[in-house]
Amino acid sequence: MTHPWSHRIAMALAAGACTLLASCGSGSVVSDLNANRAITVGDGFEDVGQGPTGMEFTVNDGSGNWVQSFVSNYGLTMTPAKSGGWGYAQGYAQVATAATDPNGNAVPSVSDQITTLLARTTLTKNDIVMINGGMSDIVAAVKATGISAQTTSTVTAAADALANQVQRLVNAGATHVVVTGVYDLGMTPWAAAYGGFGGPVSALSTAFNNELLLQLNHFANVSPNPVLFFGAAEFFDFAYNSVAQSTTSNGNFGLTNITTAVCNTPTAATCTTATLIDPNYSAYLFADNLYLTPAVQRLFVNTGYAQNVLSLFQNVWGS
């Protein structure tokens, strides 16, 4: 099945990303990056074990998530801040509002994560700072006010807040900031209870990404540009439609199941290879009802995958 909205947002994100990047697609890289540290602030999509379980929001098979795969290309590692590393991103984090996880544990907002980070260190031109948000905000807003105008307003406000946090990082000295939007939560198993695949939750994902891009667009006038936007919705769309349509030039990436979570645990943060409904978990798009399997996360950093984040980053700031 084709999802017209998804194609539109994919194209919009691709265009928006190039708008934000001073050298997008130019083949000319001018950079003084000598990466010696990678930092994350955000939610479960970039969590490397900062939460209470010490696990990631995927099938915890030891391969790590896409963030760890990405930074390894620069000879860097990513470990949780609670263990002395620089991974502050934590599952269930909202952008500007403190939250709790399903077990009642406090979860700092992305804003609070940045406050803690900046109290600990000074950002430099050799830091790769990765920031994301919005997933938990969308989930919380839908649970609180359903599919409504109020929910849309809450979601776009979260996008505005995330853009403010990006500016805060730049103001603090960050010169290589990777901002990740949300992928299409309307195509996740979680969304089935809220209008089904491609329904109103997809529109909320679109609203978040569009507002975030709008608020980040002023960086296009900054030289050198300190911000790169990673349109996760576009990449997710390629993977999803590779199975839904079986027409992409990249094949189906080994995926056969794009509707069912492969973990039988409440969340992927407690999922291991011993808690699966199918040992062939690399054939699944979803680890749990929201988050992606390791195989799909690796695609985000696979240079054979169209418009992957590693190639985007290297095009702007070098390898």
Side-chain angles (χ1 to χ4, degrees), residues 160-238:
D160 292 339
L162 187 61
N164 289 338
Q165 296 309 309
V166 173
Q167 184 67 64
R168 188 178 171 200
L169 291 169
V170 172
N171 291 348
T175 59
H176 302 87
V177 182
V178 180
V179 185
T180 303
V182 299
Y183 49 84
D184 182 4
L185 300 189
M187 305 308 295
T188 66
W190 168 77
Y194 302 100
F197 295 129
V201 178
S202 288
L204 291 172
S205 301
T206 303
F208 181 90
N209 286 325
N210 285 349
E211 181 66 16
L212 177 59
L213 276 169
L214 178 66
Q215 296 304 319
L216 292 177
N217 193 54
H218 70 279
F219 284 112
N221 299 318
V222 178
S223 181
N225 195 323
V227 173
L228 183 153
F229 180 81
F230 170 33
E234 179 186 9
F235 301 80
F236 173 90
D237 187 61
F238 286 143

Side-chain angles (χ1 to χ4, degrees), residues 35-257:
N36 57 25
R37 181 172 61 173
I39 299 166
T40 64
V41 289
D43 60 27
F45 192 47
E46 294 189 354
D47 188 346
V48 296
Q50 178 70 354
T53 68
M55 299 169 75
E56 297 159 1
F57 283 73
T58 187
V59 179
N60 287 266
D61 61 1
S63 65
N65 64 15
W66 74 274
V67 169
Q68 291 159 313
S69 181
F70 173 79
V71 302
S72 70
N73 286 277
Y74 289 84
L76 303 173
T77 58
M78 177 61 67
T79 56
K82 69 180 183 181
S83 301
W86 296 100
Y88 287 91
Q90 186 169 336
Y92 306 103
Q94 296 179 41
V95 177
T97 304
T100 57
D101 69 16
N103 294 318
N105 298 300
V107 179
S109 66
V110 178
S111 175
D112 287 342
Q113 293 170 26
I114 293 173
T115 296
T116 302
L117 167 68
L118 296 181
R120 176 184 174 192
T121 191
T122 299
L123 302 180
T124 77
K125 67 179 183 180
N126 293 322
D127 289 326
I128 300 173
V129 183
M130 307 176 74
I131 178 172
N132 87 300
M135 293 182 65
S136 298
D137 295 86
I138 291 173
V139 170
V142 169
K143 289 182 177 179
T145 53
I147 303 300
S148 65
Q150 177 58 55
T151 297
T152 300
S153 178
T154 300
V155 166
T156 55
D160 292 339
L162 187 61
N164 289 338
Q165 296 309 309
V166 173
Q167 184 67 64
R168 188 178 171 200
L169 291 169
V170 172
N171 291 348
T175 59
H176 302 87
V177 182
V178 180
V179 185
T180 303
V182 299
Y183 49 84
D184 182 4
L185 300 189
M187 305 308 295
T188 66
W190 168 77
Y194 302 100
F197 295 129
V201 178
S202 288
L204 291 172
S205 301
T206 303
F208 181 90
N209 286 325
N210 285 349
E211 181 66 16
L212 177 59
L213 276 169
L214 178 66
Q215 296 304 319
L216 292 177
N217 193 54
H218 70 279
F219 284 112
N221 299 318
V222 178
S223 181
N225 195 323
V227 173
L228 183 153
F229 180 81
F230 170 33
E234 179 186 9
F235 301 80
F236 173 90
D237 187 61
F238 286 143
Y240 186 96
N241 283 327
S242 74
V243 180
Q245 300 175 349
S246 297
T247 58
T248 69
S249 60
N250 287 335
N252 66 4
F253 310 109
L255 300 173
T256 58
N257 191 313

